[in-house]
Amino acid sequence: MLKRVFLALAVALVGFSAVVASRPSAWRLERSITIAAPVDLPFGLVNDFHRWRFWSPWEEIDPKMKRTFDGPFAGPGAIYAWSGNDEAGRGKMTILDSKPYESIHIQLELLEPWPATNIATFTFQPGAEGVTVRWAMEGHNGFLGKAFSLFVDMDGRVGKDFEKGLATIKSLTETEAKNRLEREALLKARAEAEAAARAAQPAPNGPAQATTTTP
């Protein structure tokens, strides 16, 4: 009887391993959003790791998370490393390439709780209704990653984080775009008022001419 149980378990394990091995190793997920704002605003939020704390869906996981920055302040070569609780884990991001107002490529290295290296890509495409921001991530799964994907919908799980982050970028940049227009209108009105005030001032009298008298 015990022999049959072990045999059944062995067959089940072989079958499970075959199913896991048949899973694709490469994976990719993507989310997008259209933002009614100039392209420089969302691009700037992504291109500067110091500003990720304002919109990243993972920044609020651990309020005590330690953050360090290295390399250039923003753009290619900028590095952001973090270390937090069990949920936040430990890892770092490096901007590999940054084309102003077009695309940003980031290498994401997860060190804890499980090692992984993925590539995140942000693209920015201006259009009639605003700029469409696409956030994609791709990588490769080993055996454990393939097994994990059988029980957890990573696209749905991580995709929700992407959607939340993009929605926050939209809210921040559309608000800033509105504030920018209001500031520009205020400065224009002030300049016009000052110009009108100068035009309304009377012209200064010319210098008095000296007169001579004949004795």
Side-chain angles (χ1 to χ4, degrees):
M1 180 65 180
L2 188 59
K3 184 177 180 179
R4 292 181 179 179
V5 171
F6 282 133
L7 180 60
L9 289 175
V11 171
L13 182 59
V14 170
F16 178 75
S17 299
V19 171
V20 171
S22 68
R23 303 278 293 178
S25 59
W27 60 267
R28 187 178 190 277
L29 64 92
E30 178 182 317
R31 295 293 188 274
S32 65
I33 198 168
T34 299
I35 301 172
V39 66
D40 64 292
L41 294 180
F43 182 89
L45 281 179
V46 179
N47 198 49
D48 181 359
F49 283 140
H50 299 82
R51 304 175 70 185
W52 277 53
R53 64 188 182 90
F54 296 115
W55 65 266
S56 172
W58 304 302
E59 287 289 324
E60 58 189 28
I61 292 177
D62 181 6
K64 297 181 180 180
M65 186 165 61
K66 296 179 180 179
R67 304 169 179 82
T68 59
F69 301 90
D70 199 3
F73 190 84
I79 298 173
Y80 168 43
W82 76 92
S83 178
N85 57 24
D86 291 342
E87 188 175 0
R90 184 169 66 91
K92 72 174 184 177
M93 294 187 292
T94 305
I95 297 181
L96 302 176
D97 179 65
S98 175
K99 296 181 180 178
Y101 315 137
E102 292 184 13
S103 63
I104 300 172
H105 292 83
I106 300 172
Q107 178 174 276
L108 170 63
E109 297 175 77
L110 300 175
L111 304 175
E112 295 177 0
W114 58 81
T117 299
N118 305 320
I119 299 296
T121 302
F122 290 83
T123 57
F124 306 82
Q125 184 177 0
E129 298 181 358
V131 56
T132 298
V133 180
R134 291 184 173 84
W135 184 3
M137 186 177 291
E138 55 189 344
H140 289 80
N141 282 327
F143 183 84
L144 292 179
K146 291 180 180 181
F148 187 72
S149 68
L150 287 173
F151 305 99
V152 178
D153 179 13
M154 291 301 295
D155 186 272
R157 184 175 181 179
V158 180
K160 290 181 179 179
D161 291 334
F162 280 27
E163 292 166 4
K164 182 179 179 180
L166 290 172
T168 304
I169 290 178
K170 177 181 176 70
S171 176
L172 290 173
T173 54
E174 288 186 347
T175 298
E176 176 57 27
K178 180 181 178 181
N179 292 340
R180 178 184 289 184
L181 291 175
E182 291 177 351
R183 287 194 300 268
E184 291 175 351
L186 179 61
L187 292 174
K188 181 179 180 181
R190 182 178 298 173
E192 291 175 348
E194 292 175 351
R198 288 193 297 269
Q201 292 177 354
N205 295 326
Q209 297 182 352
T211 59
T212 59
T213 59
T214 302

mmCIF file of all heavy atoms in Angstrom, residues 121-168:
data_model
loop_
_atom_site.group_PDB
_atom_site.id
_atom_site.type_symbol
_atom_site.label_atom_id
_atom_site.label_comp_id
_atom_site.label_asym_id
_atom_site.label_seq_id
_atom_site.Cartn_x
_atom_site.Cartn_y
_atom_site.Cartn_z
ATOM 1 N N THR A 121 10.091 49.369 -19.315
ATOM 2 C CA THR A 121 10.164 50.366 -20.383
ATOM 3 C C THR A 121 8.977 51.307 -20.294
ATOM 4 O O THR A 121 7.821 50.863 -20.225
ATOM 5 C CB THR A 121 10.187 49.697 -21.765
ATOM 6 O OG1 THR A 121 11.299 48.804 -21.850
ATOM 7 C CG2 THR A 121 10.297 50.741 -22.864
ATOM 8 N N PHE A 122 9.264 52.599 -20.293
ATOM 9 C CA PHE A 122 8.226 53.627 -20.366
ATOM 10 C C PHE A 122 8.341 54.309 -21.720
ATOM 11 O O PHE A 122 9.433 54.725 -22.122
ATOM 12 C CB PHE A 122 8.408 54.676 -19.264
ATOM 13 C CG PHE A 122 8.131 54.189 -17.874
ATOM 14 C CD1 PHE A 122 9.104 53.508 -17.158
ATOM 15 C CD2 PHE A 122 6.899 54.409 -17.274
ATOM 16 C CE1 PHE A 122 8.851 53.060 -15.863
ATOM 17 C CE2 PHE A 122 6.634 53.964 -15.986
ATOM 18 C CZ PHE A 122 7.618 53.292 -15.286
ATOM 19 N N THR A 123 7.221 54.425 -22.424
ATOM 20 C CA THR A 123 7.212 55.160 -23.683
ATOM 21 C C THR A 123 6.182 56.275 -23.595
ATOM 22 O O THR A 123 5.153 56.138 -22.918
ATOM 23 C CB THR A 123 6.888 54.244 -24.879
ATOM 24 O OG1 THR A 123 5.622 53.606 -24.670
ATOM 25 C CG2 THR A 123 7.960 53.177 -25.053
ATOM 26 N N PHE A 124 6.468 57.376 -24.305
ATOM 27 C CA PHE A 124 5.627 58.571 -24.252
ATOM 28 C C PHE A 124 5.280 58.977 -25.680
ATOM 29 O O PHE A 124 6.166 59.296 -26.472
ATOM 30 C CB PHE A 124 6.367 59.701 -23.537
ATOM 31 C CG PHE A 124 6.883 59.315 -22.170
ATOM 32 C CD1 PHE A 124 8.094 58.627 -22.042
ATOM 33 C CD2 PHE A 124 6.170 59.610 -21.026
ATOM 34 C CE1 PHE A 124 8.578 58.260 -20.786
ATOM 35 C CE2 PHE A 124 6.646 59.245 -19.773
ATOM 36 C CZ PHE A 124 7.847 58.574 -19.655
ATOM 37 N N GLN A 125 3.986 58.948 -26.004
ATOM 38 C CA GLN A 125 3.552 59.229 -27.367
ATOM 39 C C GLN A 125 2.509 60.346 -27.362
ATOM 40 O O GLN A 125 1.342 60.122 -27.041
ATOM 41 C CB GLN A 125 2.964 57.969 -28.012
ATOM 42 C CG GLN A 125 2.566 58.164 -29.469
ATOM 43 C CD GLN A 125 2.056 56.871 -30.094
ATOM 44 O OE1 GLN A 125 1.992 55.840 -29.445
ATOM 45 N NE2 GLN A 125 1.701 56.941 -31.366
ATOM 46 N N PRO A 126 2.917 61.580 -27.719
ATOM 47 C CA PRO A 126 1.956 62.689 -27.765
ATOM 48 C C PRO A 126 0.910 62.462 -28.847
ATOM 49 O O PRO A 126 1.188 61.891 -29.905
ATOM 50 C CB PRO A 126 2.830 63.903 -28.086
ATOM 51 C CG PRO A 126 4.216 63.488 -27.673
ATOM 52 C CD PRO A 126 4.289 62.018 -27.961
ATOM 53 N N GLY A 127 -0.313 62.912 -28.592
ATOM 54 C CA GLY A 127 -1.406 62.793 -29.545
ATOM 55 C C GLY A 127 -2.392 63.923 -29.378
ATOM 56 O O GLY A 127 -2.180 64.854 -28.588
ATOM 57 N N ALA A 128 -3.495 63.834 -30.117
ATOM 58 C CA ALA A 128 -4.489 64.907 -30.101
ATOM 59 C C ALA A 128 -5.121 65.074 -28.721
ATOM 60 O O ALA A 128 -5.470 66.184 -28.318
ATOM 61 C CB ALA A 128 -5.561 64.629 -31.151
ATOM 62 N N GLU A 129 -5.279 63.979 -27.985
ATOM 63 C CA GLU A 129 -5.945 64.039 -26.681
ATOM 64 C C GLU A 129 -4.959 64.131 -25.514
ATOM 65 O O GLU A 129 -5.356 64.106 -24.357
ATOM 66 C CB GLU A 129 -6.843 62.810 -26.502
ATOM 67 C CG GLU A 129 -7.960 62.725 -27.535
ATOM 68 C CD GLU A 129 -8.856 61.519 -27.317
ATOM 69 O OE1 GLU A 129 -8.565 60.739 -26.379
ATOM 70 O OE2 GLU A 129 -9.829 61.360 -28.073
ATOM 71 N N GLY A 130 -3.670 64.218 -25.826
ATOM 72 C CA GLY A 130 -2.660 64.273 -24.771
ATOM 73 C C GLY A 130 -1.539 63.303 -25.071
ATOM 74 O O GLY A 130 -1.363 62.867 -26.212
ATOM 75 N N VAL A 131 -0.787 62.946 -24.058
ATOM 76 C CA VAL A 131 0.321 62.017 -24.231
ATOM 77 C C VAL A 131 -0.055 60.651 -23.663
ATOM 78 O O VAL A 131 -0.564 60.548 -22.549
ATOM 79 C CB VAL A 131 1.605 62.550 -23.549
ATOM 80 C CG1 VAL A 131 1.357 62.847 -22.084
ATOM 81 C CG2 VAL A 131 2.749 61.552 -23.681
ATOM 82 N N THR A 132 0.153 59.609 -24.456
ATOM 83 C CA THR A 132 -0.108 58.247 -24.001
ATOM 84 C C THR A 132 1.169 57.677 -23.389
ATOM 85 O O THR A 132 2.207 57.601 -24.057
ATOM 86 C CB THR A 132 -0.574 57.354 -25.159
ATOM 87 O OG1 THR A 132 -1.806 57.870 -25.681
ATOM 88 C CG2 THR A 132 -0.808 55.925 -24.673
ATOM 89 N N VAL A 133 1.079 57.303 -22.129
ATOM 90 C CA VAL A 133 2.216 56.735 -21.415
ATOM 91 C C VAL A 133 2.009 55.233 -21.296
ATOM 92 O O VAL A 133 0.979 54.781 -20.776
ATOM 93 C CB VAL A 133 2.369 57.362 -20.013
ATOM 94 C CG1 VAL A 133 3.570 56.754 -19.287
ATOM 95 C CG2 VAL A 133 2.524 58.876 -20.113
ATOM 96 N N ARG A 134 2.979 54.466 -21.772
ATOM 97 C CA ARG A 134 2.932 53.004 -21.667
ATOM 98 C C ARG A 134 4.022 52.528 -20.729
ATOM 99 O O ARG A 134 5.180 52.917 -20.869
ATOM 100 C CB ARG A 134 3.086 52.349 -23.042
ATOM 101 C CG ARG A 134 1.889 52.562 -23.958
ATOM 102 C CD ARG A 134 2.047 51.803 -25.271
ATOM 103 N NE ARG A 134 0.829 51.868 -26.069
ATOM 104 C CZ ARG A 134 0.516 52.874 -26.877
ATOM 105 N NH1 ARG A 134 1.355 53.896 -26.995
ATOM 106 N NH2 ARG A 134 -0.605 52.868 -27.558
ATOM 107 N N TRP A 135 3.626 51.668 -19.806
ATOM 108 C CA TRP A 135 4.567 51.096 -18.830
ATOM 109 C C TRP A 135 4.572 49.593 -19.050
ATOM 110 O O TRP A 135 3.570 48.914 -18.841
ATOM 111 C CB TRP A 135 4.114 51.455 -17.427
ATOM 112 C CG TRP A 135 5.031 51.013 -16.322
ATOM 113 C CD1 TRP A 135 6.226 50.384 -16.432
ATOM 114 C CD2 TRP A 135 4.808 51.195 -14.921
ATOM 115 N NE1 TRP A 135 6.772 50.152 -15.198
ATOM 116 C CE2 TRP A 135 5.924 50.650 -14.244
ATOM 117 C CE3 TRP A 135 3.779 51.767 -14.171
ATOM 118 C CZ2 TRP A 135 6.013 50.643 -12.862
ATOM 119 C CZ3 TRP A 135 3.879 51.768 -12.800
ATOM 120 C CH2 TRP A 135 4.996 51.220 -12.150
ATOM 121 N N ALA A 136 5.702 49.063 -19.499
ATOM 122 C CA ALA A 136 5.821 47.627 -19.774
ATOM 123 C C ALA A 136 6.966 47.045 -18.965
ATOM 124 O O ALA A 136 7.905 47.741 -18.594
ATOM 125 C CB ALA A 136 6.045 47.384 -21.257
ATOM 126 N N MET A 137 6.867 45.758 -18.695
ATOM 127 C CA MET A 137 7.947 45.039 -18.022
ATOM 128 C C MET A 137 8.059 43.646 -18.618
ATOM 129 O O MET A 137 7.040 43.020 -18.944
ATOM 130 C CB MET A 137 7.712 44.951 -16.514
ATOM 131 C CG MET A 137 8.880 44.340 -15.736
ATOM 132 S SD MET A 137 8.597 44.320 -13.938
ATOM 133 C CE MET A 137 8.663 46.072 -13.580
ATOM 134 N N GLU A 138 9.288 43.175 -18.764
ATOM 135 C CA GLU A 138 9.495 41.841 -19.326
ATOM 136 C C GLU A 138 10.674 41.168 -18.644
ATOM 137 O O GLU A 138 11.560 41.835 -18.101
ATOM 138 C CB GLU A 138 9.726 41.921 -20.834
ATOM 139 C CG GLU A 138 10.849 42.837 -21.250
ATOM 140 C CD GLU A 138 10.877 43.034 -22.755
ATOM 141 O OE1 GLU A 138 10.238 42.239 -23.465
ATOM 142 O OE2 GLU A 138 11.545 43.977 -23.217
ATOM 143 N N GLY A 139 10.648 39.855 -18.664
ATOM 144 C CA GLY A 139 11.709 39.090 -18.032
ATOM 145 C C GLY A 139 11.583 37.619 -18.377
ATOM 146 O O GLY A 139 10.813 37.231 -19.260
ATOM 147 N N HIS A 140 12.341 36.781 -17.661
ATOM 148 C CA HIS A 140 12.321 35.338 -17.888
ATOM 149 C C HIS A 140 12.149 34.608 -16.561
ATOM 150 O O HIS A 140 12.752 34.979 -15.552
ATOM 151 C CB HIS A 140 13.612 34.877 -18.571
ATOM 152 C CG HIS A 140 13.724 35.308 -19.997
ATOM 153 N ND1 HIS A 140 14.132 36.585 -20.361
ATOM 154 C CD2 HIS A 140 13.463 34.645 -21.159
ATOM 155 C CE1 HIS A 140 14.130 36.680 -21.674
ATOM 156 N NE2 HIS A 140 13.732 35.521 -22.188
ATOM 157 N N ASN A 141 11.327 33.575 -16.580
ATOM 158 C CA ASN A 141 11.085 32.758 -15.392
ATOM 159 C C ASN A 141 11.922 31.487 -15.429
ATOM 160 O O ASN A 141 12.025 30.831 -16.471
ATOM 161 C CB ASN A 141 9.608 32.356 -15.299
ATOM 162 C CG ASN A 141 8.740 33.480 -14.786
ATOM 163 O OD1 ASN A 141 9.178 34.289 -13.971
ATOM 164 N ND2 ASN A 141 7.495 33.534 -15.249
ATOM 165 N N GLY A 142 12.502 31.150 -14.279
ATOM 166 C CA GLY A 142 13.116 29.839 -14.120
ATOM 167 C C GLY A 142 12.040 28.838 -13.719
ATOM 168 O O GLY A 142 10.841 29.124 -13.808
ATOM 169 N N PHE A 143 12.453 27.671 -13.248
ATOM 170 C CA PHE A 143 11.477 26.631 -12.899
ATOM 171 C C PHE A 143 10.540 27.102 -11.792
ATOM 172 O O PHE A 143 9.319 26.926 -11.884
ATOM 173 C CB PHE A 143 12.203 25.359 -12.462
ATOM 174 C CG PHE A 143 11.282 24.217 -12.153
ATOM 175 C CD1 PHE A 143 10.808 23.392 -13.158
ATOM 176 C CD2 PHE A 143 10.861 23.971 -10.842
ATOM 177 C CE1 PHE A 143 9.932 22.346 -12.864
ATOM 178 C CE2 PHE A 143 9.991 22.932 -10.544
ATOM 179 C CZ PHE A 143 9.522 22.118 -11.559
ATOM 180 N N LEU A 144 11.103 27.720 -10.739
ATOM 181 C CA LEU A 144 10.265 28.172 -9.635
ATOM 182 C C LEU A 144 9.298 29.258 -10.081
ATOM 183 O O LEU A 144 8.137 29.311 -9.657
ATOM 184 C CB LEU A 144 11.136 28.672 -8.476
ATOM 185 C CG LEU A 144 11.956 27.604 -7.752
ATOM 186 C CD1 LEU A 144 12.799 28.245 -6.649
ATOM 187 C CD2 LEU A 144 11.030 26.537 -7.152
ATOM 188 N N GLY A 145 9.791 30.156 -10.948
ATOM 189 C CA GLY A 145 8.925 31.210 -11.460
ATOM 190 C C GLY A 145 7.787 30.653 -12.289
ATOM 191 O O GLY A 145 6.644 31.128 -12.210
ATOM 192 N N LYS A 146 8.074 29.654 -13.093
ATOM 193 C CA LYS A 146 7.027 29.007 -13.891
ATOM 194 C C LYS A 146 5.996 28.340 -12.987
ATOM 195 O O LYS A 146 4.788 28.414 -13.230
ATOM 196 C CB LYS A 146 7.646 27.978 -14.837
ATOM 197 C CG LYS A 146 8.485 28.560 -15.956
ATOM 198 C CD LYS A 146 9.035 27.439 -16.835
ATOM 199 C CE LYS A 146 9.889 27.966 -17.967
ATOM 200 N NZ LYS A 146 10.402 26.875 -18.828
ATOM 201 N N ALA A 147 6.490 27.669 -11.936
ATOM 202 C CA ALA A 147 5.575 27.004 -11.003
ATOM 203 C C ALA A 147 4.705 28.031 -10.293
ATOM 204 O O ALA A 147 3.500 27.832 -10.112
ATOM 205 C CB ALA A 147 6.375 26.179 -9.996
ATOM 206 N N PHE A 148 5.311 29.135 -9.909
ATOM 207 C CA PHE A 148 4.568 30.197 -9.219
ATOM 208 C C PHE A 148 3.470 30.758 -10.104
ATOM 209 O O PHE A 148 2.366 31.079 -9.642
ATOM 210 C CB PHE A 148 5.548 31.299 -8.800
ATOM 211 C CG PHE A 148 4.941 32.360 -7.936
ATOM 212 C CD1 PHE A 148 4.609 32.098 -6.616
ATOM 213 C CD2 PHE A 148 4.707 33.630 -8.440
ATOM 214 C CE1 PHE A 148 4.055 33.086 -5.813
ATOM 215 C CE2 PHE A 148 4.153 34.618 -7.645
ATOM 216 C CZ PHE A 148 3.823 34.345 -6.331
ATOM 217 N N SER A 149 3.758 30.870 -11.408
ATOM 218 C CA SER A 149 2.782 31.438 -12.341
ATOM 219 C C SER A 149 1.558 30.549 -12.534
ATOM 220 O O SER A 149 0.525 31.006 -13.032
ATOM 221 C CB SER A 149 3.446 31.703 -13.697
ATOM 222 O OG SER A 149 3.791 30.486 -14.350
ATOM 223 N N LEU A 150 1.674 29.268 -12.153
ATOM 224 C CA LEU A 150 0.517 28.379 -12.249
ATOM 225 C C LEU A 150 -0.560 28.741 -11.229
ATOM 226 O O LEU A 150 -1.745 28.481 -11.442
ATOM 227 C CB LEU A 150 0.952 26.920 -12.037
ATOM 228 C CG LEU A 150 1.717 26.253 -13.174
ATOM 229 C CD1 LEU A 150 2.224 24.886 -12.725
ATOM 230 C CD2 LEU A 150 0.825 26.113 -14.406
ATOM 231 N N PHE A 151 -0.148 29.350 -10.135
ATOM 232 C CA PHE A 151 -1.079 29.624 -9.043
ATOM 233 C C PHE A 151 -1.371 31.114 -8.848
ATOM 234 O O PHE A 151 -2.346 31.467 -8.189
ATOM 235 C CB PHE A 151 -0.509 29.048 -7.734
ATOM 236 C CG PHE A 151 -0.168 27.588 -7.814
ATOM 237 C CD1 PHE A 151 1.139 27.171 -8.021
ATOM 238 C CD2 PHE A 151 -1.162 26.626 -7.709
ATOM 239 C CE1 PHE A 151 1.457 25.827 -8.099
ATOM 240 C CE2 PHE A 151 -0.858 25.275 -7.784
ATOM 241 C CZ PHE A 151 0.455 24.868 -7.984
ATOM 242 N N VAL A 152 -0.518 31.962 -9.407
ATOM 243 C CA VAL A 152 -0.701 33.406 -9.231
ATOM 244 C C VAL A 152 -0.727 34.083 -10.593
ATOM 245 O O VAL A 152 0.158 33.850 -11.429
ATOM 246 C CB VAL A 152 0.439 34.006 -8.374
ATOM 247 C CG1 VAL A 152 0.256 35.520 -8.243
ATOM 248 C CG2 VAL A 152 0.462 33.355 -7.004
ATOM 249 N N ASP A 153 -1.737 34.894 -10.827
ATOM 250 C CA ASP A 153 -1.854 35.656 -12.068
ATOM 251 C C ASP A 153 -0.993 36.906 -11.939
ATOM 252 O O ASP A 153 -1.438 37.935 -11.431
ATOM 253 C CB ASP A 153 -3.315 36.022 -12.324
ATOM 254 C CG ASP A 153 -3.494 36.845 -13.596
ATOM 255 O OD1 ASP A 153 -2.539 36.914 -14.396
ATOM 256 O OD2 ASP A 153 -4.581 37.433 -13.767
ATOM 257 N N MET A 154 0.260 36.817 -12.393
ATOM 258 C CA MET A 154 1.174 37.939 -12.245
ATOM 259 C C MET A 154 0.734 39.143 -13.062
ATOM 260 O O MET A 154 0.904 40.291 -12.637
ATOM 261 C CB MET A 154 2.585 37.512 -12.656
ATOM 262 C CG MET A 154 3.222 36.513 -11.703
ATOM 263 S SD MET A 154 3.348 37.183 -10.014
ATOM 264 C CE MET A 154 4.498 38.532 -10.271
ATOM 265 N N ASP A 155 0.165 38.909 -14.237
ATOM 266 C CA ASP A 155 -0.287 40.032 -15.050
ATOM 267 C C ASP A 155 -1.364 40.829 -14.323
ATOM 268 O O ASP A 155 -1.337 42.055 -14.291
ATOM 269 C CB ASP A 155 -0.828 39.540 -16.396
ATOM 270 C CG ASP A 155 -1.181 40.687 -17.320
ATOM 271 O OD1 ASP A 155 -2.329 41.178 -17.258
ATOM 272 O OD2 ASP A 155 -0.307 41.107 -18.103
ATOM 273 N N GLY A 156 -2.300 40.098 -13.723
ATOM 274 C CA GLY A 156 -3.357 40.779 -12.993
ATOM 275 C C GLY A 156 -2.848 41.423 -11.718
ATOM 276 O O GLY A 156 -3.250 42.540 -11.370
ATOM 277 N N ARG A 157 -1.953 40.734 -11.037
ATOM 278 C CA ARG A 157 -1.457 41.235 -9.748
ATOM 279 C C ARG A 157 -0.561 42.455 -9.925
ATOM 280 O O ARG A 157 -0.775 43.497 -9.315
ATOM 281 C CB ARG A 157 -0.702 40.125 -9.026
ATOM 282 C CG ARG A 157 -0.221 40.490 -7.630
ATOM 283 C CD ARG A 157 0.409 39.289 -6.957
ATOM 284 N NE ARG A 157 0.864 39.593 -5.608
ATOM 285 C CZ ARG A 157 1.441 38.721 -4.790
ATOM 286 N NH1 ARG A 157 1.606 37.469 -5.199
ATOM 287 N NH2 ARG A 157 1.828 39.087 -3.588
ATOM 288 N N VAL A 158 0.477 42.323 -10.762
ATOM 289 C CA VAL A 158 1.386 43.441 -10.987
ATOM 290 C C VAL A 158 0.728 44.498 -11.871
ATOM 291 O O VAL A 158 1.001 45.690 -11.729
ATOM 292 C CB VAL A 158 2.701 42.943 -11.616
ATOM 293 C CG1 VAL A 158 3.669 44.094 -11.848
ATOM 294 C CG2 VAL A 158 3.344 41.884 -10.729
ATOM 295 N N GLY A 159 -0.148 44.057 -12.772
ATOM 296 C CA GLY A 159 -0.840 45.006 -13.635
ATOM 297 C C GLY A 159 -1.643 46.027 -12.844
ATOM 298 O O GLY A 159 -1.729 47.197 -13.228
ATOM 299 N N LYS A 160 -2.222 45.605 -11.716
ATOM 300 C CA LYS A 160 -2.966 46.542 -10.867
ATOM 301 C C LYS A 160 -2.040 47.612 -10.296
ATOM 302 O O LYS A 160 -2.433 48.778 -10.170
ATOM 303 C CB LYS A 160 -3.665 45.782 -9.742
ATOM 304 C CG LYS A 160 -4.830 44.921 -10.199
ATOM 305 C CD LYS A 160 -5.493 44.220 -9.015
ATOM 306 C CE LYS A 160 -6.667 43.376 -9.474
ATOM 307 N NZ LYS A 160 -7.318 42.665 -8.338
ATOM 308 N N ASP A 161 -0.813 47.213 -9.960
ATOM 309 C CA ASP A 161 0.155 48.197 -9.463
ATOM 310 C C ASP A 161 0.511 49.195 -10.570
ATOM 311 O O ASP A 161 0.615 50.403 -10.320
ATOM 312 C CB ASP A 161 1.422 47.501 -8.977
ATOM 313 C CG ASP A 161 1.199 46.693 -7.708
ATOM 314 O OD1 ASP A 161 0.266 47.028 -6.949
ATOM 315 O OD2 ASP A 161 1.939 45.719 -7.477
ATOM 316 N N PHE A 162 0.687 48.691 -11.785
ATOM 317 C CA PHE A 162 0.977 49.576 -12.912
ATOM 318 C C PHE A 162 -0.163 50.575 -13.118
ATOM 319 O O PHE A 162 0.072 51.771 -13.331
ATOM 320 C CB PHE A 162 1.181 48.756 -14.189
ATOM 321 C CG PHE A 162 2.548 48.142 -14.321
ATOM 322 C CD1 PHE A 162 3.315 47.842 -13.209
ATOM 323 C CD2 PHE A 162 3.079 47.856 -15.563
ATOM 324 C CE1 PHE A 162 4.577 47.273 -13.321
ATOM 325 C CE2 PHE A 162 4.345 47.300 -15.697
ATOM 326 C CZ PHE A 162 5.082 46.996 -14.577
ATOM 327 N N GLU A 163 -1.380 50.080 -13.080
ATOM 328 C CA GLU A 163 -2.536 50.946 -13.285
ATOM 329 C C GLU A 163 -2.618 52.029 -12.209
ATOM 330 O O GLU A 163 -2.935 53.193 -12.499
ATOM 331 C CB GLU A 163 -3.821 50.110 -13.294
ATOM 332 C CG GLU A 163 -3.925 49.183 -14.508
ATOM 333 C CD GLU A 163 -5.000 48.125 -14.340
ATOM 334 O OE1 GLU A 163 -5.719 48.167 -13.312
ATOM 335 O OE2 GLU A 163 -5.122 47.253 -15.218
ATOM 336 N N LYS A 164 -2.323 51.644 -10.972
ATOM 337 C CA LYS A 164 -2.351 52.604 -9.870
ATOM 338 C C LYS A 164 -1.273 53.662 -10.048
ATOM 339 O O LYS A 164 -1.527 54.869 -9.866
ATOM 340 C CB LYS A 164 -2.150 51.874 -8.540
ATOM 341 C CG LYS A 164 -2.213 52.780 -7.319
ATOM 342 C CD LYS A 164 -2.040 51.974 -6.033
ATOM 343 C CE LYS A 164 -2.084 52.884 -4.803
ATOM 344 N NZ LYS A 164 -1.903 52.091 -3.544
ATOM 345 N N GLY A 165 -0.065 53.240 -10.413
ATOM 346 C CA GLY A 165 1.016 54.194 -10.618
ATOM 347 C C GLY A 165 0.729 55.155 -11.764
ATOM 348 O O GLY A 165 0.952 56.362 -11.644
ATOM 349 N N LEU A 166 0.224 54.642 -12.876
ATOM 350 C CA LEU A 166 -0.095 55.490 -14.018
ATOM 351 C C LEU A 166 -1.212 56.470 -13.692
ATOM 352 O O LEU A 166 -1.181 57.629 -14.130
ATOM 353 C CB LEU A 166 -0.479 54.622 -15.222
ATOM 354 C CG LEU A 166 0.652 53.819 -15.859
ATOM 355 C CD1 LEU A 166 0.097 52.864 -16.912
ATOM 356 C CD2 LEU A 166 1.699 54.752 -16.495
ATOM 357 N N ALA A 167 -2.198 56.021 -12.926
ATOM 358 C CA ALA A 167 -3.298 56.906 -12.535
ATOM 359 C C ALA A 167 -2.781 58.057 -11.672
ATOM 360 O O ALA A 167 -3.248 59.203 -11.791
ATOM 361 C CB ALA A 167 -4.367 56.121 -11.789
ATOM 362 N N THR A 168 -1.812 57.769 -10.805
ATOM 363 C CA THR A 168 -1.240 58.823 -9.965
ATOM 364 C C THR A 168 -0.429 59.798 -10.809
ATOM 365 O O THR A 168 -0.498 61.024 -10.604
ATOM 366 C CB THR A 168 -0.351 58.224 -8.869
ATOM 367 O OG1 THR A 168 -1.106 57.277 -8.106
ATOM 368 C CG2 THR A 168 0.153 59.303 -7.928
#
